[in-house]
């Protein structure tokens, strides 16, 4: 798996720091602006159709927040406001977590958004994606998806995350998705933000 872009150095540093607590793909080779990553077995948690299997994966995904709390962010990562300097993934969602047939995590991938900050922000970011991302909303009638996301929200206690952190995540999402969706498709995100403020 070849990854290219301006931010690969930060991605590699973030994954290396995370490797102490969660599985990540091994770096097979690296040059300026590109990195070759090991192809990890397993598939994205979001692809699981069987609710029981999906729920097991969801519990493992929810546990990632706790596993990553306490990992110090590498110096080169951008810092979010606040004093804490924990490693944050900021894109922990069902297509960035690969799982095996038992629902165990085989790798956390795609560390492009990684930053330094308060772990609550990572939990809030996952909460916002699972609850509000238009792609997630579109799958609310899909039993595998529902089992996965409910188990993740419960195991990670994502609904209990401080309102201020969840409001931050809503603003992050509005900014992140502005170029990909028209304003009407994000109205529910603005609604959620108003309720949290
Ligand atoms: N190291 C890897 N091993 C196995 N599959 C991978 C690996 N990296 C990416 N993938 C697959 O490619 C998809 C997209 O990769 P990702 O790194 O998340 O890139 P993007 O920036 O497009 O989201 C993942 O959902 C996964 O299915
Ligand atoms: Mg991805």
């Amino acid at each position: 798996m070849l990854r290219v872009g301006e931010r690969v150095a930060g991605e590699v540093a973030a994954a290396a720091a995370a490797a102490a607590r969660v599985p990540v793909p091994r770096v097979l080779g690296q040059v300026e602006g590109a990195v070759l990553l090991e192809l990890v077995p397993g598939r994205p948690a979001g692809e699981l159709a069987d609710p029981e299997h999906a729920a097991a994966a969801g519990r493992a995904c929810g546990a990632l927040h706790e596993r990553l709390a306490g990992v110090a962010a590498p110096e080169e990562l951008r810092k979010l406001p606040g004093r804490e300097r924990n490693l944050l993934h900021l894109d922990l969602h069902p297509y960035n977590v690969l799982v095996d047939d038992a629902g165990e995590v085989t790798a956390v991938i795609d560390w492009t958004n990684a930053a330094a900050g308060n772990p609550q922000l990572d939990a809030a970011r996952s909460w916002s994606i699972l609850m509000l991302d238009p792609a997630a909303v579109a799958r609310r009638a899909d039993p595998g998806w529902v089992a996965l996301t409910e188990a993740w929200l419960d195991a990670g206690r994502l609904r209990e995350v401080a309102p201020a952190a969840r409001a931050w995540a809503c603003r992050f999402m509005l900014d992140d998705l502005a170029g990909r969706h028209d304003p009407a498709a994000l109205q529910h995100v603005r609604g959620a933000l108003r309720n949290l403020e």
Side-chain angles (χ1 to χ4, degrees):
M1 177 63 59
L2 185 70
R3 301 272 301 170
V4 292
E6 283 164 27
R7 284 153 81 177
V8 287
E11 262 183 78
V12 168
R21 303 294 299 276
V22 302
V24 300
R26 266 194 309 263
V27 173
L28 302 178
Q30 195 176 0
V31 292
E32 172 102 39
V35 61
L36 186 64
L37 296 177
E38 163 199 18
L39 211 51
V40 177
R43 57 204 158 123
E47 284 183 4
L48 304 179
D50 167 50
E52 227 172 282
H53 188 193
R59 287 190 291 274
C61 290
L64 290 172
H65 301 283
E66 193 71 38
R67 288 169 76 179
L68 286 171
V71 177
E75 271 306 312
E76 59 261 59
L77 294 188
R78 83 199 143 89
K79 295 175 179 68
L80 298 181
R83 260 171 302 167
E84 294 195 60
R85 294 284 177 269
N86 269 279
L87 175 65
L88 310 180
H89 182 287
L90 294 186
D91 217 4
L92 278 179
H93 64 61
Y95 288 86
N96 285 336
V97 183
L98 307 183
V99 297
D100 65 17
D101 288 337
E104 293 296 325
V105 175
T106 57
V108 178
I109 61 170
D110 198 358
W111 292 82
T112 340
N113 274 354
N118 185 321
Q120 287 241 326
L121 299 177
D122 225 358
R125 171 81 178 130
S126 293
W127 169 84
S128 69
I129 298 172
L130 299 177
M131 298 288 294
L132 301 171
D133 190 289
V137 172
R139 291 183 66 182
R140 276 183 189 163
D142 172 341
W145 179 262
V146 171
L148 172 80
T149 54
E150 285 299 314
W152 188 332
L153 291 161
D154 287 347
R157 307 229 243 144
L158 303 187
R159 293 186 186 90
E160 296 163 38
V161 173
R166 285 184 286 142
W168 170 88
C170 288
R171 289 190 291 267
F172 187 105
M173 175 171 281
L174 288 168
D175 188 49
D176 187 42
L177 298 184
R180 269 179 280 166
H181 295 275
D182 65 290
L186 298 174
Q187 207 172 336
H188 65 289
V189 184
R190 284 189 295 277
L193 175 56
R194 272 195 301 277
N195 286 336
L196 289 163
E197 277 173 340

